[in-house]
Amino acid sequence: MKKAFITIQLTIVFILGVFSIKAQEKKVNIIPFPVLATNPTVGFAFGVSPGFTWHMGDLQNTSMSSVVASLVYTTNQQFLFSARGNTFLEGDKWNIMADLRYQITSQPTYGLGTGSGSIHPLVNNDYGYSERHYLRKHQMMEYDLIRAYITTLRKHEDTRFFYGLGYHLDVIYNIDDNLLNLDTIPQQVTQHYRYNKLKNFSAKGNTVSGVSLNLMYDSRDNVANPYSGRYAFASWRVNPKLIGSTQNSSTLWLEYRDYFNLSKERPRHLIGIWTYGWFVTSGNLPYMNLPAIGWDMFSRSGRAYTSGRFRGEDLIYTEVEYRFPLQANSDLLGGVIFANTTTASSRTENVDLFQNVNLAYGLGLRVMINKKSRSNVNLDYGWATNGSQGLFISLNEVF
């Protein structure tokens, strides 16, 4: 593991070094953002999360490209690397979306579906036992993740509609399901183990490899910090065994964002809405690949919760945020008030979508560190009705 860690570090340094050279050639704005944060997923985290913004063509007809990278170590002994963003080629003729991650990480899981505690009883009849019992409130898991998503979209004529194909790979391996104990009587069976056993997946690791058909509408004036416009994205992904998936499956992602200005003089004064639905449409996915909050492209959904706090075969997430300037004649400082809701199903536990809805809310501070690109540093604190809370620090607006 130590050799792999060093190899990954050297690879990351090489990639960032090459990118820095290209950045200078393309006049890229680089924000060397340090990470000092705490939230329920990572404990205390420290590292760097540089942001990159640039234009690949004429500013009049080419949208700003934006990438956020991250290299972080946490007190939960997690090593997290990611590079995620959008690149618009000249004239916006093409848009390339990328989500690349390597993680040695951990997170608690709470069962499937939303509701009171989101932890459901385990029926040991599945394993030859007659009694019914409950496991603890959460079930900690350690695992490694490799993710490589690349989506290429072509603009349709002189419109803001795009269409294209993508490839998506998730490899989750070296799973250590901390509370699983099959040597006791009765066995202590976790939600992760039970679900994967019922669906014929390995409890140690699985692969999801798929291709996608994608449609997008994007009229936002700025991808890092929109003041106006709207965004809609639909992606149907097919994950066949033929190209490496553990089992055949398919999923559907539907997303919408909109921005409503409240002042012509201060465009930063607005209400933003964000909603997405994520559904398993055929076959089965491994437990850790099921739709879950915090597993969107930029890991922004579910402020107040640990990543993956709600998970299920179907999930719908909605967030509303009120954004406002804090200075009369400057956009340096801003504030936000937000609220989000999550509902998730569990077909294995007979929990329907919308049967239960979980609520969270919070407030935050924004510091605009690059006026040209509108790049913000975000400091948010969220509370949830189930008692979860945390501080979340990020670069660029949440949505």
Side-chain angles (χ1 to χ4, degrees):
M1 182 62 72
K2 186 175 180 180
K3 290 182 178 179
F5 182 83
I6 294 173
T7 301
I8 291 295
Q9 283 184 310
L10 293 175
T11 302
I12 291 167
V13 169
F14 174 76
I15 292 172
L16 292 180
V18 172
F19 193 89
S20 296
I21 296 172
K22 295 296 182 181
Q24 294 175 10
E25 294 175 355
K26 293 293 183 180
K27 297 182 180 179
V28 176
N29 295 311
I30 304 176
I31 303 170
F33 179 54
V35 174
L36 291 171
T38 179
N39 65 56
T41 302
V42 302
F44 183 79
F46 55 93
V48 293
S49 182
F52 306 85
T53 59
W54 71 97
H55 285 84
M56 298 292 288
D58 190 331
L59 274 64
Q60 299 299 316
N61 64 2
T62 305
S63 298
M64 184 180 74
S65 298
S66 175
V67 170
V68 176
S70 181
L71 182 61
V72 173
Y73 185 76
T74 81
T75 53
N76 287 348
Q77 298 183 333
Q78 300 162 318
F79 170 74
L80 311 171
F81 166 73
S82 66
R84 294 171 271 192
N86 286 277
T87 299
F88 288 91
L89 301 189
E90 186 174 3
D92 286 356
K93 292 179 180 179
W94 293 91
N95 178 23
I96 302 171
M97 303 165 61
D99 180 355
L100 308 175
R101 308 185 200 184
Y102 174 74
Q103 299 179 350
I104 302 171
T105 188
S106 61
Q107 67 174 238
T109 66
Y110 296 78
L112 303 182
T114 43
S116 178
S118 283
I119 197 76
H120 305 292
L122 301 187
V123 183
N124 284 325
N125 288 333
D126 295 328
Y127 305 100
Y129 303 127
S130 59
E131 64 184 281
R132 172 187 290 254
H133 74 281
Y134 294 81
L135 284 181
R136 304 176 195 177
K137 182 179 179 182
H138 64 268
Q139 302 156 24
M140 181 59 71
M141 290 179 51
E142 300 171 17
Y143 61 93
D144 298 347
L145 166 70
I146 295 174
R147 169 173 287 187
Y149 291 5
I150 299 291
T151 303
T152 302
L153 302 164
R154 170 75 174 177
K155 186 170 77 167
H156 179 64
E157 299 179 347
D158 191 25
T159 70
R160 297 306 302 171
F161 285 99
F162 297 78
Y163 55 89
L165 303 174
Y167 174 72
H168 313 269
L169 173 68
D170 279 305
V171 183
I172 296 178
Y173 61 106
N174 287 341
I175 295 175
D176 184 358
D177 200 346
N178 291 177
L179 292 184
L180 178 66
N181 191 339
L182 302 180
D183 295 326
T184 62
I185 299 176
Q187 294 177 339
Q188 183 163 283
V189 178
T190 61
Q191 297 284 350
H192 169 262
Y193 180 85
R194 176 175 184 263
Y195 175 90
N196 278 357
K197 188 77 172 179
L198 290 172
K199 303 297 183 180
N200 296 316
F201 288 108
S202 168
K204 294 299 184 180
N206 294 281
T207 298
V208 178
S209 174
V211 293
S212 64
L213 298 174
N214 306 275
L215 296 174
M216 182 178 77
Y217 176 82
D218 189 357
S219 64
R220 294 173 296 174
D221 64 331
N222 183 298
V223 296
N225 184 359
Y227 286 168
S228 63
R230 55 188 52 87
Y231 173 88
F233 187 69
S235 179
W236 181 55
R237 187 181 306 175
V238 180
N239 310 300
K241 293 173 64 175
L242 182 65
I243 59 173
S245 291
T246 305
Q247 291 188 29
N248 296 322
S249 65
S250 66
T251 61
L252 177 65
W253 173 279
L254 301 173
E255 180 178 6
Y256 182 75
R257 308 181 189 188
D258 213 333
Y259 308 88
F260 303 92
N261 289 110
L262 301 178
S263 170
K264 292 182 179 179
E265 292 75 24
R266 302 299 301 275
R268 193 174 186 177
H269 192 199
L270 60 87
I271 292 176
I273 63 170
W274 175 30
T275 186
Y276 68 79
W278 191 0
F279 314 98
V280 177
T281 51
S282 69
N284 298 306
L285 285 176
Y287 184 93
M288 291 300 293
N289 297 96
L290 289 170
I293 60 169
W295 284 73
D296 51 291
M297 179 174 175
F298 289 99
S299 303
R300 299 297 178 85
S301 59
R303 278 178 290 178
Y305 300 107
T306 184
S307 178
R309 174 61 182 84
F310 300 115
R311 189 185 307 272
E313 289 94 342
D314 311 289
L315 184 143
I316 294 179
Y317 178 82
T318 301
E319 182 156 340
V320 178
E321 187 169 83
Y322 172 47
R323 303 174 185 172
F324 50 91
L326 291 176
Q327 297 165 287
N329 300 305
S330 172
D331 282 327
L332 175 63
L333 299 178
V336 303
I337 299 172
F338 64 87
N340 61 63
T341 62
T342 307
T343 180
S345 71
S346 173
R347 300 173 194 171
T348 56
E349 306 291 350
N350 296 318
V351 178
D352 296 329
L353 200 61
F354 297 110
Q355 181 175 323
N356 302 290
V357 178
N358 283 77
L359 171 68
Y361 51 89
L363 49 83
L365 176 69
R366 299 290 180 268
V367 181
M368 188 174 291
I369 55 178
N370 188 309
K371 189 173 182 180
K372 182 178 179 181
S373 65
R374 294 190 210 156
S375 295
N376 282 340
V377 172
N378 310 325
L379 293 90
D380 296 318
Y381 202 93
W383 297 266
T385 53
N386 70 350
S388 178
Q389 59 181 288
L391 174 67
F392 299 80
I393 301 176
S394 59
L395 192 63
N396 297 333
E397 278 296 350
V398 172
F399 64 90

